[in-house]
Amino acid sequence: MDSDGAGAGGPSRWSSLTGGRSGQLYADRFDRLAAQGTDVHGEARLCAALVPPGSRVLDAGCGTGRVAIRLAESGYHCVGVDNDPSMLDTARARSTQVTWIHADLAALDRSAGRDRPDPSHAPVAADGPFDLIVAAGNVIPLVSPGTEASVMRGLAQRLAPHGLLVAGFGLDTAHLPLPEAPFGLAEYDAWCQAAGLTLERRLATWDVPGSADEPLRLVGTAGYAVSIHRRNAD
C-alpha cells in the first residue's frame, strides 16, 4: 500500500487511513514476511523483465522504498516519490542509491500552457524522462479522491516516448484497505487513454509472464490487476 499522503486535492485515502505515521510499521511488516521466506520482490522482478538495467525508473508512491531499492541494487537509476514523510524517512534510512522526493503525485500534472511543472510542487529530479514508472501497492486507489485523472496525466508526462507505466491495485474489498473500490478498470483505462497511454497487457499478479510476446491475460473476476500501459509516440 505504498501511496501518497495528504494531496493537492485534499487528504488522500492513504493519509485518512494511516495519518501519515505508519512508515516504520509498514517496513517492519515486509521485513517479517521476507524473514519468513515470502517473496517480497515480485514488483521489482516484473519491472526488470520489462526494461534493462541502466534504465531510469520512477517509483510513484514509493512508500518505504522496497521496489526502488531492489531495482537500484540491480543497476537501475531510480527516483522515488511519496507524500508520506514517515514512509520517506524509512526509505532514506535504507538507501542512498535512490533519489527520494517528498511530493504529491497529483502535483506532477503540468498546468495547461506550461512547459514545466511548478518547481515548488514537482522537483526537477522527478521530471524524467523515465523509461518505466511503477505504481505498486494500491497507489492509485489511495490518492486523493478526484485527483486520479490528474495523477495519470502527470505520470504520463514523465515517461519517455514509448515508456511504460506499470500499476497494480485491488479491485474489491478483499484486496483494498477500503470499504469499497473507488473505481474500476474501465475508469482507470479511460484516464490512461486520455493521458496518452495505451494498454499493452493486463496480468492478475506481479508474476513475470512467460514471454514478452504473450497476449493480454485478462483478469476476469480476479480481485487484483497489474496493468501495463505504454506512452504513445508524440
Side-chain angles (χ1 to χ4, degrees):
M1 287 178 282
D2 302 2
S3 185
D4 257 7
S12 70
R13 297 182 182 97
W14 171 255
S15 63
S16 296
L17 286 169
T18 69
R21 297 184 296 272
S22 63
Q24 191 57 54
L25 291 174
Y26 191 78
D28 290 345
R29 173 193 168 204
F30 280 96
D31 288 345
R32 287 193 300 271
L33 290 171
Q36 294 165 3
T38 301
D39 179 10
V40 298
H41 296 300
E43 300 99 327
R45 190 161 49 251
L46 177 58
C47 292
L50 295 172
V51 293
S55 299
R56 295 200 68 206
V57 175
L58 175 66
D59 188 350
C62 62
T64 60
R66 177 172 51 88
V67 178
I69 291 171
R70 183 71 168 187
L71 288 170
E73 291 171 345
S74 300
Y76 293 82
H77 302 291
C78 297
V79 175
V81 176
D82 205 285
N83 206 30
D84 183 331
S86 72
M87 292 287 208
L88 286 177
D89 286 347
T90 301
R92 291 184 177 115
R94 292 185 170 218
S95 178
T96 57
Q97 287 184 274
V98 178
T99 299
W100 305 111
I101 295 174
H102 181 209
D104 173 20
L105 293 184
L108 300 184
D109 185 18
R110 290 179 170 86
S111 300
R114 294 280 297 278
D115 291 331
R116 293 179 54 81
D118 182 342
S120 68
H121 296 291
V124 171
D127 276 0
F130 294 97
D131 302 299
L132 182 143
I133 296 176
V134 57
N138 287 322
V139 168
I140 308 303
L142 293 174
V143 299
S144 301
T147 67
E148 295 91 350
S150 179
V151 167
M152 302 319 298
R153 285 195 303 268
L155 295 179
Q157 289 162 357
R158 280 155 176 77
L159 278 173
H162 306 295
L164 296 173
L165 171 66
V166 187
F169 50 82
L171 304 170
D172 57 26
T173 56
H175 297 83
L176 287 167
L178 299 169
E180 61 181 358
F183 57 83
L185 289 174
E187 292 167 281
Y188 177 71
D189 287 343
W191 295 325
C192 288
Q193 183 177 13
L197 302 169
T198 299
L199 179 66
E200 285 210 339
R201 184 176 301 179
R202 177 159 284 139
L203 310 173
T205 72
W206 288 93
D207 294 338
V208 177
S211 168
D213 298 322
E214 183 180 305
L216 291 177
R217 172 152 51 92
L218 298 179
V219 299
T221 59
Y224 192 88
V226 177
S227 303
I228 303 173
H229 286 77
R230 188 178 295 276
R231 180 179 170 179
N232 302 331
D234 293 333

